[in-house]
Structure formats: C-alpha cells, structure tokens
Amino acid sequence: MTVPVAWHAMRLVFLGPPGAGKGTQAQILVGRFGARQISTGDILRRNVADGTELGKRAKAFMDAGALVPDDVIVAMMEPELGAGAAFILDGFPRTVAQAEALDAMLTRLALPLGAALQFDADREVLIERLAGRWTNPRTGRTYHTLFNPPRVAGIDDEDGGPLVQRPDDARDVVAQRLATYDAKTKPLIDYYARRGLLQRIDGLQPIEAVTADVLRALGDRAA
Ligand code: AMP
C-alpha cells in the first residue's frame, strides 16, 4: 500500500494502554519508513539489565506497575529527541507533566509533532495479550503465543535471540499498570485532541488491519 506520508508526520506520539499494540505498530513503521522508535520502556529495561543508576532508580516503580517519576523520564528523553528529526515515541509521554515537557523540548528543537495516535482496546483483550506476550529483550520486538507466534517457540525470527516473558506482564502487575494508565495517562487523549493532533485507532483488530488504519490516519494528516 502506498500512502503519502509526509516526513514531518513521522514525528509521532503513540498513546494507549499496555498491550494495545503501540510497540508492534511502531516496529512496523520503523521497518517501512526508517523512522526511529523511541520506547521509554525498552530504554528503562536496558538500564535495569545493565545495573545503571537510572535502572536502579526505576526498577521498583516498574516492578510495581507504577510510573517512574517524571523528572527521571524527562531527563532521559532529552538527549534522545535531539538525535534525529523523525521518531515514534512509544510509551512517552505518560502524564500531562511529561507531555508539557515534551512540548517545550520540541519547541526548542523546532521539531513539531505530526500526530498523536491513540490505540484503543478492551481491558479483557489487553490482559489476554499481555499474558501471551514474549519479548526479545535486546531489540524490544514482541510476539504472542496465539496471535503472532515466532516460527520456533522462544526464539526471535529475526536475530535468533531468546524471547522472554516480561515480569510486569504477570496478571497482578498488569492490573496495576492498567489502573496507572487510567489515572495518569488517559488525560493525554484530551490533551492532544485539544491541540488538533489526536487520531484514534481501533487496536482490537488484527495487526495488519491496525497498520492499514495507522497509515490512513497519517496519510489523512499529511494530505
Ligand atoms: P512499557 O514497556 O511502555 O509498558 O513500560 C514499562 C514500565 O516502564 C512502565 O510500567 C513504567 O513503570 C515504566 N515507564 C515506561 N515509560 C514511562 C514513562 N513515560 N513514564 C513513567 N514510567 C514509564
């Protein structure tokens, strides 16, 4: 499918609850358009694995399904944004304070956002998706035992690396992550709607149908 996606429209924010498909769609767009996926969750998990100061600070919040404090996240994102003109922000911002900080950083860099895409999905579906999710901890690429299985169980199709289940995808932590999303992140839907940047995507559809909707939404904005 050819969609006239303008380059500036590839500065995107992906919003939505955990399991709605933000990371999967971000990886697909990266493959097609070469934009950079900046996933705060992936950056944090790498820091935890490497035992950095940032990782040590973040770990307890992540294990509990809570948000890492805004000042930590904003300081972590500042150097990331300057590095390239086109990007997909996957999992950031997650609070109104983070969204305001992002606006200020992008204004300073003269890099306006193209759109904010909100991926919607039902709670039961999210829980089921997260329970079956397997991730390559090196690349952040995800699979699902039922909906998007790897060719060989436990092995990434692309780089042959091992797949793991994220500890925070355990049922009790998922419930907390969804509650955190409702309380802290949902207000961003209004935040971006008021700025005329919001596009809503039905994240319940099969992966390819969601991608088609994403490309349509971006094409519409670029037209
Ligand atoms: P994710 O992989 O996006 O689901 O993120 C995993 C965990 O990392 C979240 O449950 C939070 O604890 C933390 N995290 C990721 N992004 C942010 C953010 N923008 N603000 C605060 N905490 C975050």
Side-chain angles (χ1 to χ4, degrees), residues 18 39-42 44-45 61-62 65-68 73 90-94 98 133 166 168 177:
S39 158
T40 41
D42 285 349
L44 291 166
R45 276 184 290 278
F61 296 100
M62 297 170 77
L67 293 183
V68 176
I73 296 289
D90 163 17
F92 172 84
R94 258 175 155 101
Q98 289 181 18
R133 177 159 82 171
R166 279 172 47 176
D168 62 345
R177 287 164 67 204

Side-chain angles (χ1 to χ4, degrees), residues 112-127:
L113 276 183
L117 269 55
Q118 163 73 17
F119 295 82
D120 292 306
D122 294 343
R123 194 185 164 81
E124 290 70 33
V125 172
L126 296 172
I127 292 171

Side-chain angles (χ1 to χ4, degrees), residues 195-212:
R195 284 159 179 75
L197 288 171
L198 189 75
Q199 298 274 346
R200 290 193 96 130
I201 305 284
D202 176 3
L204 284 175
Q205 309 172 88
I207 291 173
E208 299 74 32
V210 176
T211 304

